[in-house]
Amino acid sequence: MWSRRQGRLRPTVCGVEELRRRRREREAALRKARREQQLVSKRLLRNDAPEEAGEGCVAAILGETEVQQFLRQAQRGTEEKEREGALVSLRRGLQHPETQQTFIRLEGSMRTLVGLLTSNQALLQLEAARCLHELSHSEQSTVAEACLPATSYLLTYLSSHSSDFIELCLYTLGNLIVESEAVRRQLLPQGIVPALAACIQSPHVAVLEALGYALSQLLQAEEAPEKIIPSILASTLPQHMLQMLQPGPKLNPGVAVEFAWCLHYIICSQVSNPLLIGHGALSTLGLLLLDLAGAVQKTEDAGLELLACPVLRCLSNLLTEAAVETVGGQMQLRDERVVAALFILLQFFFQKQPSLLPEGLWLLNNLTANSPSFCTSLLSLDLIEPLLQLLPVSNVVLTVLCNVAEKGPAYCQRLWPGPLLPALLHTLAFSDTEVVGQSLELLHLLFLYQPEAVQVFLQQSGLQALERHQEEAQLQDRVYALQQTALQG
Amino acid sequence: MQLPPALCARLAAGPGAAEPLPVERDPAAGAAPFRFVARPVRFPREHQFFEDGDVQRHLYLQDVIMQVADVPEKPRVPAFACQVAGCCQVFDALDDYEHHYHTLHGNVCSFCKRAFPSGHLLDAHILEWHDSLFQILSERQDMYQCLVEGCTEKFKTSRDRKDHMVRMHLYPADFRFDKPKKSRSPASAEAPGDSGERSEGEAMEICSEPVAASPAPAGERRIYRHRSVSELFLKPVLNMCSVLRILGCTWAAALLILNSERIPSTICFGQGAARGFKSNKKKTKQC
């Protein structure tokens, strides 16, 4: 049967170096694709049962006559094993783009395959579905579009009772969705949203993970904000999605990852975020963040950032909604453990995934910007020094410190004395205008609310540090103002 | 990056919010040339800020990151046969058997043996093909429900329903689970354009004698319409179930319960069933 996890690598064939090289290549390709707004990735379920391993890594490309022959055998063979075997051979051949092209160009081939997909022979049905799945993995949109006749059946089978089969249909749908707008244009009127809303009540983890995948592909579509997200928000899907993200014994990481990404695509499209806040998204995500921070302390699991990333993004974007400011919204996220959890995650990113540090700091900014409570937590939990350690990573550190300092003398008193001033003197030595500009803003607030800092600033050659920038157009006004303040102080 | 030791303890302790320090802003803080304003920032979908995280997500989808441990093999068991009467399939893996059972025996019409992928489609089929009361009612009101999940439209005829599904839902005109009811002619061909594949369900549908429960052909239907309700009480099985239908449950469901082939858990006969009808038939299931 199909493996319930992602595909398998073959360590015997490819060494570690080779894997790393391939990963670097793929990463570069993905970055390029994203910049061109063509980021498409698919998930392939492929079972390499032992009896097939003998075939080696590469299956043969099939020609037109062979494809026809296998189809005929599958359709009209007398022995069930023979029919099944024919489809297995076809499926292996369809791993090749050339065979896929041959298949779709053959008249009646899809019709036959759909006939087999909808037959009452269970194992034939499965093999036919696997053939479709191989086709769905193609990077040619013509192949995806050739699968259009099958979509109504794939949707129908989502309400069947065979969880393996449902899982397969979902991954196939997810792959087809991401490849072609024509497929999406057909699937929406065919009722994919209600079908998914019914299917999400399945108790099977593998089905849920597959559903999350398919939904995430649907939500990434360019036309999603106008054409897809509104009907998803109108369905029961958001409530179920949030349920899958609730921490507890039932939380499954693979499932949670998919739905967290789904939520991210919905939220950053900004279609109707207050609705999600109304469903308790902020408190669910906040609790999940706490759970993640607990998990990173306990396990060496390198996969946690896959879940942490979308959770951070969702929280950050939701916090910008005006709805948060109402009594309901604000009550959902006041727990100062969120700040503690965030720093634990920042440390985790520092060690395992530094590229996610800016996203973590973004959340910190959004938490502290309008919240005296969270700013106070930063101070009372002694987090200023750890925060300063992240200065080389991102300017947002300075922004967060400004968020704290701008709240007045009570806050600046707690920032002083301490490592803040030496850190600022250090950043003033940078040539990056952005960094220096933020440092000047922070100095201004510090001087205003904590005048004793001025003396120490002067003693530590602060003026010289300022002078470096007095010719810089973007900085000179502020440099001058600070020089005046310092000299008068 | 060093964290204060008390932080983990704080995480483990209960929820709470710090009593915020008093906020006291001086207007000079925001005075020119200084321009800092504390504000939350939002990023839209395509923003470059998301590039790194997006790339990680896609690497995961492409299975490069996660080194998956060996997946356990499909557990094999000693070969066993399917227990359903008349089925001689043999299996050596439970997953295969599960799929076979659900496909072939899961949602099977007890009248014509046709198998359906879901309970929803089976129910619609039974109603439309094997329920004479449905036929009667459908002459007066729209009874043919759209088969697409989530669509509540109903139609006068199955033809109208098909047109709706094709036009509005872009379903194929030869959608396999919405075949029009065939006449009684023997060896009726499948709908034109079918791939001609044979399957167990299809074969039985074509050649078997219709079970007594099947609705009568058009001629008899007209006669039923003219009978009075009291006359309906005199007729055996067919009419008992029609009465039950009037009383709130489907005849088809009643028959099924009597046959015990498929017992929907939601069937409830209500109190009326006992009150208005005295019969020497087997007691129907009360809810």
Side-chain angles (χ1 to χ4, degrees):
Chain A
M1 263 294 153
W2 286 91
S3 102
R4 290 173 193 280
R5 313 264 207 101
Q6 306 87 298
R8 294 205 302 205
L9 301 171
R10 297 190 182 91
T12 48
V13 174
C14 323
V16 172
E17 261 318 303
E18 174 68 13
L19 286 175
R20 281 210 194 106
R21 189 188 63 78
R22 276 205 214 156
R23 184 206 159 119
R24 279 195 295 271
E25 272 173 17
R26 290 211 200 205
E27 206 174 310
L30 285 170
R31 278 185 202 284
K32 179 164 182 287
R34 194 188 185 280
R35 282 174 202 159
E36 292 163 8
Q37 314 230 331
Q38 301 260 351
L39 195 52
V40 165
S41 285
K42 303 188 186 191
R43 190 174 260 190
L44 180 67
L45 284 188
R46 198 182 272 161
N47 182 35
D48 299 315
E51 57 261 32
E52 292 180 35
E55 303 281 323
C57 290
V58 178
I61 298 176
L62 300 176
E64 193 176 291
T65 20
E66 288 165 296
V67 172
Q68 265 175 328
Q69 189 191 348
F70 286 136
L71 281 172
R72 210 177 297 127
Q73 253 182 311
Q75 195 182 16
R76 298 184 199 154
T78 43
E79 282 274 322
E80 196 177 320
K81 278 289 169 209
E82 180 197 334
R83 298 173 76 184
E84 205 187 316
L87 275 181
V88 170
S89 306
L90 179 63
R91 190 233 314 160
R92 283 204 211 120
L94 285 173
Q95 291 178 17
H96 287 280
E98 292 92 330
T99 316
Q100 291 167 358
Q101 286 296 326
T102 306
F103 180 87
I104 66 169
R105 276 189 250 113
L106 207 54
E107 196 179 317
S109 58
M110 185 52 69
R111 186 165 188 85
T112 306
L113 194 60
V114 171
L116 291 162
L117 178 72
T118 57
S119 77
N120 280 338
Q121 306 273 52
L123 296 175
L124 276 184
Q125 206 184 45
L126 261 177
E127 275 307 323
R130 288 174 184 158
C131 289
L132 258 180
H133 185 71
E134 287 294 341
L135 287 167
S136 77
H137 200 65
S138 162
E139 282 161 28
Q140 312 267 342
S141 55
T142 46
V143 176
E145 277 148 34
C147 297
L148 281 169
T151 59
S152 60
Y153 297 107
L154 290 173
L155 285 179
T156 303
Y157 286 127
L158 293 187
S159 50
S160 71
H161 293 288
S162 171
S163 59
D164 279 343
F165 195 56
I166 297 175
E167 186 189 353
L168 186 54
C169 291
L170 283 167
Y171 279 118
T172 306
L173 280 166
N175 290 344
L176 291 174
I177 283 169
V178 82
E179 195 54 60
S180 154
E181 197 190 340
V183 168
R184 298 192 292 269
R185 269 204 306 270
Q186 177 164 291
L187 280 173
L188 287 165
Q190 282 185 340
I192 186 170
V193 175
L196 291 176
C199 192
I200 202 171
Q201 298 177 55
S202 165
H204 298 279
V205 160
V207 167
L208 293 173
E209 189 173 337
L211 197 154
Y213 167 74
L215 188 57
S216 74
Q217 300 291 51
L218 195 57
L219 290 166
Q220 276 188 100
E222 215 178 303
E223 74 276 16
E226 303 95 58
K227 305 228 173 98
I228 300 173
I229 293 179
S231 44
I232 295 206
L233 286 173
S235 76
T236 53
L237 281 168
Q239 292 98 302
H240 285 113
M241 279 196 265
L242 286 170
Q243 251 170 22
M244 310 285 170
L245 294 172
Q246 269 162 14
K250 285 213 207 136
L251 180 72
N252 178 286
V255 172
V257 165
E258 297 309 312
F259 286 111
W261 280 96
C262 287
L263 214 54
H264 161 60
Y265 295 132
I266 294 178
I267 290 173
C268 69
S269 302
Q270 270 137 28
V271 173
S272 183
N273 289 339
L275 181 81
L276 289 170
I277 295 179
H279 283 312
L282 271 174
S283 86
T284 301
L285 291 166
L287 287 170
L288 187 54
L289 195 76
L290 299 183
D291 204 53
L292 277 168
V296 305
Q297 295 174 330
K298 288 187 208 128
T299 74
E300 275 299 308
D301 195 336
L304 284 170
E305 73 273 12
L306 293 165
L307 180 54
C309 175
V311 170
L312 291 175
R313 292 180 180 190
C314 289
L315 276 169
S316 303
N317 266 329
L318 279 179
L319 284 168
T320 66
E321 295 292 332
V324 170
E325 297 301 319
T326 64
V327 173
Q330 193 59 7
M331 285 312 285
Q332 286 183 39
L333 205 64
R334 295 194 61 196
D335 189 344
E336 73 170 353
R337 292 180 301 170
V338 169
V339 176
L342 183 52
F343 269 82
I344 291 172
L345 285 171
L346 286 171
Q347 184 190 52
F348 171 71
F349 293 155
F350 194 78
Q351 289 157 358
K352 296 276 168 67
Q353 191 77 288
S355 59
L356 284 179
L357 282 168
E359 299 206 25
L361 289 169
W362 168 41
L363 176 58
L364 190 58
N365 173 69
N366 285 11
L367 282 172
T368 51
N370 293 330
S371 170
S373 174
F374 282 134
C375 288
T376 308
S377 298
L378 261 185
L379 295 164
S380 61
L381 293 172
D382 279 325
L383 293 170
I384 301 298
E385 182 146 8
L387 185 59
L388 286 170
Q389 290 171 40
L390 293 175
L391 256 178
V393 170
S394 166
N395 305 345
V396 180
V397 170
L398 292 168
T399 313
V400 171
L401 290 165
C402 287
N403 288 349
V404 176
E406 69 90 27
K407 299 207 167 29
Y411 293 79
C412 284
Q413 275 162 27
R414 299 281 288 269
L415 287 172
W416 175 264
L420 182 57
L421 197 55
L424 281 175
L425 287 163
H426 181 68
T427 57
L428 282 178
F430 290 8
S431 47
D432 184 333
T433 326
E434 210 36 73
V435 174
V436 177
Q438 280 286 67
S439 310
L440 297 176
E441 298 284 345
L442 187 50
L443 268 176
H444 166 65
L445 291 166
L446 197 59
F447 289 172
L448 184 62
Y449 295 129
Q450 192 65 22
E452 293 107 43
V454 180
Q455 276 309 307
V456 184
F457 178 74
L458 290 170
Q459 283 160 15
Q460 303 206 347
S461 323
L463 279 176
Q464 287 89 309
L466 284 175
E467 265 162 32
R468 285 190 58 186
H469 303 289
Q470 56 191 19
E471 300 307 313
E472 179 61 53
Q474 287 194 42
L475 302 171
Q476 51 192 193
D477 291 342
R478 291 180 281 179
V479 167
Y480 181 74
L482 281 174
Q483 284 167 330
Q484 294 305 303
T485 314
L487 291 170
Q488 285 159 19
Chain B
M1 185 186 167
Q2 294 277 47
L3 292 176
L7 199 67
C8 301
R10 180 63 196 93
L11 185 69
E19 187 54 50
L21 295 166
V23 177
E24 211 184 303
R25 292 185 179 99
D26 187 322
F34 297 98
R35 44 198 186 242
F36 177 76
V37 175
R39 67 170 145 247
V41 173
R42 66 164 56 148
F43 288 110
R45 291 164 73 104
E46 290 306 326
H47 202 282
Q48 215 210 333
F49 184 71
F50 289 145
E51 183 178 300
D52 283 325
D54 282 358
V55 165
Q56 297 306 315
R57 158 67 173 166
H58 282 263
L59 281 173
Y60 168 72
L61 286 181
Q62 292 180 0
D63 299 327
V64 176
I65 303 185
M66 296 296 280
Q67 303 279 336
V68 181
D70 273 311
V71 179
E73 289 301 318
K74 173 166 60 167
R76 303 260 165 201
V77 296
F80 64 95
C82 177
Q83 291 300 301
V84 175
C87 181
C88 43
Q89 286 265 266
V90 173
F91 303 92
D92 65 354
L94 293 172
D95 285 348
D96 287 346
Y97 177 61
E98 191 209 348
H99 184 64
H100 160 86
Y101 184 86
H102 286 310
T103 306
L104 266 174
H105 308 305
N107 294 296
V108 174
C109 176
S110 54
F111 310 117
C112 62
K113 306 300 176 210
R114 216 160 174 222
F116 290 85
S118 67
H120 165 61
L121 287 171
L122 173 62
D123 287 342
H125 161 82
I126 290 176
L127 212 55
E128 294 168 18
W129 283 50
H130 304 302
D131 187 336
S132 63
L133 189 62
F134 177 90
Q135 298 305 321
I136 294 167
L137 288 174
S138 70
E139 279 156 29
R140 291 153 184 269
Q141 61 196 61
D142 295 341
M143 295 284 286
Y144 285 88
Q145 165 106 50
C146 176
L147 295 177
V148 175
E149 181 95 46
C151 180
T152 51
E153 299 269 348
K154 290 192 172 164
F155 301 87
K156 194 113 181 66
T157 65
S158 80
R159 185 61 205 245
D160 290 342
R161 194 234 335 253
K162 179 181 285 301
D163 283 343
H164 161 84
M165 284 173 63
V166 170
R167 261 181 315 107
M168 297 301 290
H169 296 296
L170 307 185
Y171 262 56
D174 61 350
F175 186 62
R176 192 195 152 89
F177 304 114
D178 180 29
K179 293 276 195 247
K181 224 168 16 159
K182 294 187 193 44
S183 65
R184 276 230 216 146
S185 57
S188 50
E190 282 289 81
D194 201 280
S195 57
E197 57 91 16
R198 286 167 285 118
S199 67
E200 293 173 288
E202 294 289 302
M204 292 183 91
E205 184 200 339
I206 291 170
C207 66
S208 65
E209 273 300 302
V211 181
S214 288
E220 280 185 44
R221 222 170 3 110
R222 263 180 270 130
I223 297 171
Y224 272 12
R225 213 180 351 162
H226 292 129
R227 288 200 188 178
S228 65
V229 174
S230 56
E231 280 181 293
L232 284 172
F233 272 73
L234 298 174
K235 268 265 181 176
V237 181
L238 224 59
N239 294 304
M240 164 194 136
C241 296
S242 297
V243 169
L244 284 165
R245 175 58 180 275
I246 292 162
L247 294 169
C249 70
T250 67
W251 160 67
L255 206 67
L256 284 169
I257 285 165
L258 292 175
N259 290 341
S260 295
E261 277 205 34
R262 181 171 173 276
I263 301 180
S265 56
T266 53
I267 281 299
C268 170
F269 284 88
Q271 291 178 341
R275 236 190 299 128
F277 184 83
K278 285 194 174 72
S279 116
N280 52 5
K281 293 264 177 300
K282 207 157 90 172
K283 276 270 177 291
T284 51
K285 192 171 168 192
Q286 300 288 328
C287 103

